[in-house]
Amino acid sequence: MSSISEIFGCMVFNEDVMRERLPKDVYKSMVKTIEQGKPIDSKIADVVANAMKDWAIAKGATHYTHWFQPLTGVTAEKHDAFISPVGDCKVVMEFSGKELIRGESDASSFPSGGIRATFEARGYTTWDSSSYAFVKDGTLYIPTAFCSYTGEALDAKTPLLRSMEAISNQSLRIVRLFGDSLTQRVTPTVGAEQEYFIVDKEIYDLRKDLMYSGRTLFGAPAPKGQELEDHYFGPLNSRISAYMAELDENLWKLGINSKTKHNEAAPAQHELAPIYATTNMAVDQNLLIMEYMKKTAEKHGLVCLLHEKPYKGVNGSGKHNNWSLATDTGKNLLDPGKTPAENIQFLLILAGIIKAVDEYQELMRISVAHAGNDHRLGAGEAPPAITSVFVGEELEEIIDAIVNGKTYTSVKASVMDLGIPTVPTFRKDTTDRNRTSPFAFTGNKFEFRMVGSSQNIALPNIVLNTAIAKEFKEFADILENAENFDIAVAQILKETFTNHRRVIFSGNGYSKEWEAEAEKRGLCNLKTAVDAYKVFPMQKNIDLFKMFNVMSSVEINSRTDILFENYSKIINIEALTMIEMASRDIIPAVSAYIADVAGSAAAKQAVVPDASCFMEEDLITELSELNNAAYKAVKVLRNTVSNAAAMKDHILQAEAYHDDVIPAMNDLRDKVDRMETITASEYWPLPTYGDMLFRV
């Protein structure tokens, strides 16, 4: 491998490439577009497109694509060649500004929640010039937004960009109040840690449930799990190390700051963490990270599993969304400084964030609601479904002092001395961390830990940006007209922390006691995705998004329908997969084993008529009862799936899948998993948890 500095960003049409290939005035215009969020000057589009095309061809590209994020949770792309015919037998390579800026896609073939009918097919993709284009697999990828012919957003990126504009404008009002006249733009930044599992490809190919649904629908626990805590941060085995090395190189070429890699808590579980980036670029990059995790794994005879809960009884996978606010002058607005109690601007921003989380806790929950994430949230390994904020001991004491009208006495950081001469002393943080918190302050950013590993991080950040922008707007509206600024700020801080103190929690989020305490505080506990989706179209949510033109009521309602429909489709696929596996593979295999055990008993008694067959009789009885019960459970599941699938109303259908189909699935799994533990391994038709977790 070449040096990292040589390959990093080599496949990206970034600022360095623009400086080299664009005329000086065009380059300056592009930088202004990217840094200040200004519209691209249509006069320079052809120049940029031609330079981009020449650069991409030099990198081996023959095609270009408008790369967008429809409401499927993954990306979409349609590839067009640069070729343009000249006469009968010749072509030239062309790419116009019009082709760069706008594309067209079939808007009726993607989820639209009723916005587009089959006969209303036209939709547009339009270049997101603030996210760099790149070359991948011989194609120039142009990040774009996607909307319908009538203007509604049909993607994840359009409302994300609108929310970024909203929080930039309102954050600017806040910093202006504190005398900052230099900052021209405030940008939300994100670093999304990505957890994932790896399984051997040959083993994966023998599991229909992994292939169809991304998780194991059957499987008894292995004798060893994660109880020894020996996998977390453990040495990387050679196969995983080689995979991670190639993955890093692929990501570095695309300008993705893949920084940290390590073994996670569960066997065969790992994590990749990038350095933060501007939110829209972070979203694009996380989608690329997930894509390359899968593609690179295949080259190593492996499969990457991004489902939130591939294995029952084993820790699931999340995606920690580290969110902050950065000015174009290089400041982090969430940096409390050495004396946070005296940093009034920081405290005002902190107050706005806490108020936003409390007032829009349902939206926070909705943004991470997903069928896969239902298996993870509140499972004693991830944050609960209750949204709360952890700020740490020092900030909590400052907040308490403000609420109670007392003077805060600063606690200086102590020095950690381990008493070992060869180990240097170091300054201890003034605050511990809380890994059970859904939304935790971690020094200079908030870590939104509820996001599922397979999810697009766009919606969580849309919610964060918009809700916090609304609170900043309320603060700025008051302070810009205040007769006495200092008194007004003090009053806002006291009222905000007093009224929204209930959402701050520093204890064990996994405990049953917290669930009871949260209910007393009046915090919502939307335990399932279905519960969460129901409150998406609440009027206060519609009003919030309409306030900043992030989403219209039509767009919110369409997304609600899509979420319900997607949930039902996921459970339907899982249920049908269970029916097929149980009916065609597992029940016949157990029947064959029962027959062979019975034959063995008969053969034994033929040789020794008085020989005891207690073991065979006991095994046959237990397996026969379980196999019959599994057969009946399959029939029940088939009927519940048919009933749910026949429903026309999306909400009622999702409820039926949750209330009827999932319990039937769980009942079938219970019978099958018990059979696995007493069926001879050579008869069992599926690789076991031990095979999947420990043979990588």
Side-chain angles (χ1 to χ4, degrees):
M1 183 181 81
S2 303
S3 69
I4 297 174
S5 59
E6 290 177 343
I7 67 169
F8 190 84
C10 67
M11 305 303 284
V12 182
F13 193 76
N14 55 29
E15 194 171 324
D16 289 340
V17 176
M18 289 186 232
R19 185 187 299 111
E20 176 186 341
R21 289 181 171 266
L22 295 176
K24 193 172 183 179
D25 58 331
V26 175
Y27 164 72
K28 288 183 177 179
S29 179
M30 278 301 301
V31 170
K32 185 177 181 180
T33 293
I34 294 168
E35 291 183 350
Q36 299 181 17
K38 302 293 184 183
I40 184 170
D41 185 347
S42 59
K43 297 177 183 177
I44 69 169
D46 282 331
V47 177
V48 175
N50 189 61
M52 196 180 286
K53 178 259 298 179
D54 290 345
W55 169 82
I57 290 172
K59 294 292 182 181
T62 57
H63 290 68
Y64 70 91
T65 182
H66 275 200
W67 185 61
F68 59 103
Q69 301 169 29
L71 299 173
T72 56
V74 294
T75 58
E77 54 197 63
K78 178 186 73 172
H79 298 227
D80 289 297
F82 288 122
I83 61 170
S84 182
V86 178
D88 294 332
C89 302
K90 293 183 179 180
V91 296
V92 293
M93 306 293 270
E94 291 183 341
F95 185 49
S96 69
K98 181 180 178 181
E99 290 169 318
L100 169 62
I101 290 175
R102 199 195 81 174
E104 186 173 328
S105 185
D106 189 337
S108 66
S109 297
F110 292 104
S112 71
I115 290 177
R116 297 266 82 189
T118 302
F119 65 91
E120 298 171 323
R122 195 181 297 277
Y124 298 115
T125 52
T126 181
W127 179 30
D128 172 16
S129 54
S130 62
S131 187
Y132 296 133
F134 55 91
V135 168
K136 178 172 76 73
D137 301 330
T139 298
L140 171 65
Y141 280 70
I142 303 161
T144 60
F146 178 45
C147 66
S148 74
Y149 179 71
T150 48
E152 294 90 358
L154 296 178
D155 66 340
K157 172 162 279 194
T158 300
L160 177 68
L161 293 173
R162 293 170 179 168
S163 75
M164 291 174 64
E165 191 67 22
I167 198 166
S168 177
N169 292 338
Q170 301 308 318
S171 298
L172 275 175
R173 295 177 68 191
I174 297 295
V175 299
R176 291 281 186 271
L177 288 164
F178 288 88
D180 183 346
S181 59
L182 297 177
T183 296
Q184 298 300 311
R185 188 168 183 79
V186 178
T187 304
T189 63
V190 168
E193 305 168 34
Q194 178 72 56
E195 295 175 342
Y196 60 100
F197 279 85
I198 291 292
V199 63
D200 185 275
K201 179 70 162 60
E202 292 183 1
I203 292 174
Y204 170 88
D205 288 340
L206 298 174
R207 296 280 317 205
K208 294 177 184 176
D209 46 4
L210 287 182
M211 287 192 287
Y212 293 147
S213 71
R215 75 179 183 100
T216 54
L217 301 171
F218 299 109
K224 179 181 184 293
Q226 61 191 66
E227 63 270 21
L228 294 179
E229 301 169 336
D230 53 341
H231 190 259
Y232 191 52
F233 281 19
L236 302 173
N237 72 38
S238 57
R239 196 175 182 191
I240 295 299
S241 182
Y243 160 70
M244 287 180 168
E246 184 173 349
L247 176 61
D248 276 341
E249 182 174 356
N250 288 332
L251 298 178
W252 289 336
K253 288 178 180 178
L254 292 172
I256 298 172
N257 285 290
S258 177
K259 175 76 171 176
T260 303
K261 56 186 180 183
H262 62 84
N263 288 342
E264 253 299 331
Q269 187 185 31
H270 313 281
E271 181 177 302
L272 179 152
I275 296 173
Y276 69 88
T278 302
T279 300
N280 60 319
M281 292 184 67
V283 170
D284 289 353
Q285 290 179 356
N286 183 253
L287 290 166
L288 285 170
I289 286 170
M290 291 193 288
E291 178 185 339
Y292 268 91
M293 280 180 167
K294 293 180 178 180
K295 290 174 62 174
T296 307
E298 291 177 5
K299 294 182 180 180
H300 292 260
L302 303 168
V303 173
C304 174
L305 303 177
L306 292 172
H307 193 283
E308 286 75 15
K309 194 76 169 179
Y311 304 106
K312 182 180 178 181
V314 176
N315 269 18
S317 296
K319 180 147 48 189
H320 301 170
N321 189 91
N322 294 283
W323 181 92
S324 191
L325 290 171
T327 70
D328 56 1
T329 55
K331 296 177 182 177
N332 179 356
L333 297 183
L334 266 65
D335 184 353
K338 294 181 179 180
T339 55
E342 300 171 11
N343 189 340
I344 305 303
Q345 178 180 289
F346 166 76
L347 291 175
L348 187 67
I349 288 170
L350 178 66
I353 293 171
I354 290 171
K355 185 171 185 282
V357 174
D358 187 23
E359 290 187 344
Y360 295 99
Q361 51 188 283
E362 298 94 348
L363 270 181
M364 297 276 285
R365 175 66 179 92
I366 292 162
S367 75
V368 300
H370 183 262
N373 219 12
D374 274 2
H375 297 281
R376 170 179 165 265
L377 293 179
E381 68 200 47
I386 304 163
T387 305
S388 64
V389 180
F390 172 81
V391 295
E393 183 179 352
E394 182 179 23
L395 289 180
E396 194 163 355
E397 289 179 358
I398 293 171
I399 290 170
D400 287 342
I402 292 171
V403 169
N404 297 317
K406 296 181 179 179
T407 302
Y408 170 73
T409 303
S410 176
V411 177
K412 293 185 178 180
S414 59
V415 172
M416 183 74 78
D417 186 351
L418 299 181
I420 304 171
T422 55
V423 175
T425 60
F426 58 91
R427 190 166 295 279
K428 180 181 175 182
D429 291 317
T430 57
T431 283
D432 201 351
R433 296 180 66 191
N434 186 339
R435 68 182 300 273
T436 73
S437 175
F439 195 65
F441 186 69
T442 54
N444 59 4
K445 55 185 170 57
F446 273 97
E447 185 177 8
F448 192 13
R449 302 184 67 253
M450 297 174 76
V451 188
S453 53
S454 70
Q455 292 181 274
N456 185 334
I457 61 173
L459 184 55
N461 287 291
I462 291 168
V463 169
L464 284 174
N465 294 343
T466 313
I468 295 168
K470 181 255 189 183
E471 311 304 350
F472 287 180
K473 179 182 185 301
E474 286 189 3
F475 292 171
D477 286 346
I478 295 170
L479 294 174
E480 286 172 352
N481 298 293
E483 293 183 6
N484 187 308
F485 178 78
D486 293 337
I487 293 175
V489 169
Q491 186 174 353
I492 286 175
L493 292 177
K494 184 177 178 65
E495 288 181 358
T496 302
F497 288 137
T498 300
N499 295 336
H500 302 282
R501 179 71 174 75
R502 65 174 186 166
V503 82
I504 299 174
F505 178 66
S506 301
N508 181 7
Y510 296 164
S511 68
K512 290 294 183 183
E513 292 77 11
W514 166 233
E515 189 170 337
E517 170 65 20
E519 186 176 359
K520 289 180 183 178
R521 295 188 186 189
L523 301 181
C524 70
N525 186 4
L526 302 170
K527 294 186 176 182
T528 72
V530 175
D531 294 331
Y533 298 155
K534 290 177 184 177
V535 299
F536 197 2
M538 289 170 61
Q539 191 59 49
K540 74 170 188 176
N541 297 336
I542 293 174
D543 292 343
L544 172 69
F545 289 123
K546 286 177 68 175
M547 179 183 294
F548 298 105
N549 192 35
V550 172
M551 281 189 281
S552 66
S553 58
V554 171
E555 290 167 335
I556 292 171
N557 288 323
S558 71
R559 279 160 174 74
T560 305
D561 285 346
I562 290 168
L563 289 169
F564 276 118
E565 187 176 1
N566 183 62
Y567 179 91
S568 297
K569 288 177 178 178
I570 289 172
I571 306 303
N572 188 69
I573 290 169
E574 291 181 348
L576 294 179
T577 302
M578 290 188 82
I579 291 169
E580 178 174 323
M581 292 174 70
S583 300
R584 300 180 62 184
D585 301 321
I586 296 168
I587 291 174
V590 174
S591 294
Y593 180 52
I594 291 171
D596 283 358
V597 172
S600 176
K604 183 195 292 187
Q605 289 192 324
V607 176
V608 183
D610 295 332
S612 171
C613 293
F614 171 77
M615 181 271 290
E616 290 87 350
E617 291 172 0
D618 191 54
L619 188 58
I620 289 169
T621 299
E622 186 174 1
L623 274 176
S624 295
E625 289 177 354
L626 285 171
N627 215 24
N628 288 336
Y631 179 77
K632 292 177 181 177
V634 167
K635 294 182 71 174
V636 171
L637 179 57
R638 187 179 283 116
N639 288 334
T640 57
V641 170
S642 296
N643 292 336
M647 293 183 175
K648 302 300 182 183
D649 183 275
H650 288 165
I651 298 177
L652 294 177
Q653 184 179 62
E655 288 177 336
Y657 275 106
H658 179 269
D659 298 342
D660 302 328
V661 176
I662 289 179
M665 291 168 62
N666 292 338
D667 183 57
L668 174 58
R669 176 168 189 160
D670 175 66
K671 309 295 188 295
V672 170
D673 288 357
R674 287 162 62 190
M675 289 195 294
E676 180 185 336
T677 63
I678 54 175
T679 301
S681 57
E682 61 265 30
Y683 287 83
W684 195 251
L686 307 173
T688 65
Y689 269 31
D691 297 327
M692 292 180 283
L693 292 171
F694 295 100
R695 294 189 178 181
V696 180

